[in-house]
Amino acid sequence: MQNSFTEENYLKIIHNLSGRDDLEVSTNALAESTATRAASVTDMLRKLAEKGLIHYKKYQGVRLTEEGQKVALKVIRKHRLWEVFLVEKLGFGWDEVHDIAEELEHIPSDRLVERLDAYLDHPQFDPHGDPIPDAKGNMPAPDYLKLSDIPLGHRALMMGVLEHTPAFLQHLDRSGLTLGCEIEIKEVNEFDKSAQIQINSQRTLFISQEVSRNVLVQRL
Amino acid sequence: MQNSFTEENYLKIIHNLSGRDDLEVSTNALAESTATRAASVTDMLRKLAEKGLIHYKKYQGVRLTEEGQKVALKVIRKHRLWEVFLVEKLGFGWDEVHDIAEELEHIPSDRLVERLDAYLDHPQFDPHGDPIPDAKGNMPAPDYLKLSDIPLGHRALMMGVLEHTPAFLQHLDRSGLTLGCEIEIKEVNEFDKSAQIQINSQRTLFISQEVSRNVLVQRL
DNA sequence: AAAAAAATTTAGGGCTGTCTAAAAATGTAT
DNA sequence: ATACATTTTTAGACAGCCCTAAATTTTTTT
């Protein structure tokens, strides 16, 4: 039996919300992420449980089964590959691709995904730095730090973002913060944790804590 | 108001069935093409008529309105552009792309379509030789002939196909009949209209009338 | 530990797009 | 022109996915 567009979305969102530690996901969290009401979520959870895609006991939150995990990772793989395509081949900005990939991720053909992957040269990361699961569902879990955790005076490479909204990504663009850039922490203001940083040993920039908590880096 | 996946399919199919002369399309023909029952078609027709996308009077068949035509051509444009992408960029065979394009054609973003079109260098024809409508909905109506209408001894260029089934396209592949090849009619058998033809002034080939009636050519 | 608050589920319903069975309209043939 | 056949529409129903309102369970507070 095929999973519907909607079912795939639930599985993907459950995966994203349960994080690396496979935490239980609450009905309300799902209602928020799916932009539906809690009652609707309950209906869907019953259905996904019947299909063996999630572990679900009433009032107790959900976790993906192995099978559900597989489906979720496949959807995430497709989403991220399409994002690479949109940015690398069609020239979209990283702030423009999420909604389109949200549609493309549900196109079913396995052969399509594998050919797209090959066409893109088997990318490991999407345009936001998120890792792309391979065809077997293995996804590396990079141990990046938040920029806000880098101590004063130290340097780091920008590897990803936690926040994916167009507004945030556009703000990074305007600030010159792009994946791969080198960042040195020049100064941190105690009262609001805003910081002065230097990018690629060139221009310096003030950023709020809100920004530095949503930028992922690797220490140098 | 957005048109659903299903509505778009009906409009596309009505367009294809009504042909260049804008003939009326019957409920039964639609039921066959959509693989649903006539009763379901009637429901949908009422809905499309209410939206102003088709002209519909009970028991009288349907035609697209100008608005419906626009929507249909947009879907056809997307379908054919995606087919070009799948063949030219991802290396699919022309016999493999129909079903995948059937899904991709409903991805909504206008910007996506226009960027895809540019990325593919504004192709005029899809991998089966069908013309691709431009962004404004203009579609050239090439006046190709059927190969079966080319007289004995004359030559023609293969420009398209009428039949799009994988089986037929694979048969053409095995026969060496590809778009752009030059065909000369060497012999026609009266009793079954099968023919002997020569391809690119090289090898000769026997083809049935079934084949020659489904191959589109331009006389030389 | 009882009361209040929050989270979750159930009950009942709507909309879309499908179905079957039956009725109505149209077309065809004698 | 009447009877038969075909096409199309109506009536009534159902599954998927969503909703609101009310009931229930769990969690938090006092």
Side-chain angles (χ1 to χ4, degrees), chain A residues 6 11 16 18 24 29 42-43 59 101 107 110 114-115 128 141 148 162 164 176 188:
Chain A
T6 310
L11 295 172
N16 289 338
S18 69
E24 309 220 310
T42 300
D43 285 348
Y59 298 99
I107 304 287
D110 280 351
E114 297 325 312
R115 281 183 183 251
H128 310 103
S148 54
L162 281 178
H164 290 67
V188 176

Side-chain angles (χ1 to χ4, degrees), chain A:
Chain A
M1 202 190 315
Q2 266 284 84
N3 302 305
S4 73
F5 186 106
T6 310
E7 288 166 348
E8 285 189 353
N9 265 330
Y10 271 87
L11 295 172
K12 180 188 62 173
I13 291 172
I14 292 168
H15 176 97
N16 289 338
L17 291 178
S18 69
R20 310 317 129 211
D21 306 323
D22 204 27
L23 301 172
E24 309 220 310
V25 177
S26 75
T27 300
N28 267 359
L30 282 169
E32 164 140 29
S33 288
T34 56
T36 63
R37 299 317 181 100
S40 309
V41 172
T42 300
D43 285 348
M44 182 57 82
L45 295 184
R46 207 165 23 72
K47 188 170 152 197
L48 292 172
E50 258 162 36
K51 285 181 131 186
L53 296 165
I54 59 172
H55 296 293
Y56 172 55
K57 285 199 211 87
K58 283 200 236 180
Y59 298 99
Q60 314 248 134
V62 291
R63 285 187 1 268
L64 295 175
T65 61
E66 203 134 319
E67 180 60 21
Q69 183 89 359
K70 252 172 64 182
V71 175
L73 283 167
K74 211 158 153 179
V75 175
I76 291 166
R77 171 170 167 76
K78 290 193 278 183
H79 183 101
R80 294 181 179 170
L81 284 174
W82 280 117
E83 284 195 342
V84 173
F85 169 73
L86 293 171
V87 169
E88 297 289 316
K89 302 294 186 180
L90 296 196
F92 279 98
W94 68 341
D95 58 311
E96 303 176 298
V97 296
H98 186 269
D99 291 350
I100 301 176
E102 206 72 6
E103 305 276 339
L104 288 164
E105 72 189 6
H106 302 290
I107 304 287
S109 162
D110 280 351
R111 303 196 52 212
L112 173 60
V113 184
E114 297 325 312
R115 281 183 183 251
L116 180 64
D117 183 46
Y119 181 57
L120 300 172
D121 273 327
H122 308 288
Q124 306 287 304
F125 299 93
D126 79 10
H128 310 103
D130 295 314
I132 300 176
D134 69 19
K136 294 188 196 99
N138 301 115
M139 178 164 67
D143 53 347
Y144 298 141
L145 301 170
K146 296 177 187 173
L147 178 56
S148 54
D149 293 333
I150 301 298
L152 189 63
H154 286 72
R155 290 175 306 131
L157 285 180
M158 176 163 166
M159 302 303 288
V161 293
L162 281 178
E163 166 76 45
H164 290 67
T165 57
F168 179 65
L169 297 173
Q170 286 160 19
H171 178 68
L172 294 183
D173 281 339
R174 283 190 301 271
S175 306
L177 286 165
T178 57
L179 289 199
C181 74
E182 185 189 306
I183 299 169
E184 181 175 349
I185 312 288
K186 301 298 253 188
E187 207 178 311
V188 176
N189 299 310
E190 265 319 306
F191 67 102
D192 68 351
K193 300 284 201 284
S194 66
Q196 190 177 352
I197 64 178
Q198 186 170 31
I199 301 176
N200 292 329
S201 309
Q202 296 165 34
R203 52 218 206 62
T204 63
L205 181 72
F206 283 98
I207 59 173
S208 67
Q209 189 192 27
E210 188 61 20
V211 167
S212 66
R213 275 198 309 213
N214 280 294
V215 167
L216 292 174
V217 300
Q218 191 163 59
R219 282 186 79 151
L220 279 180

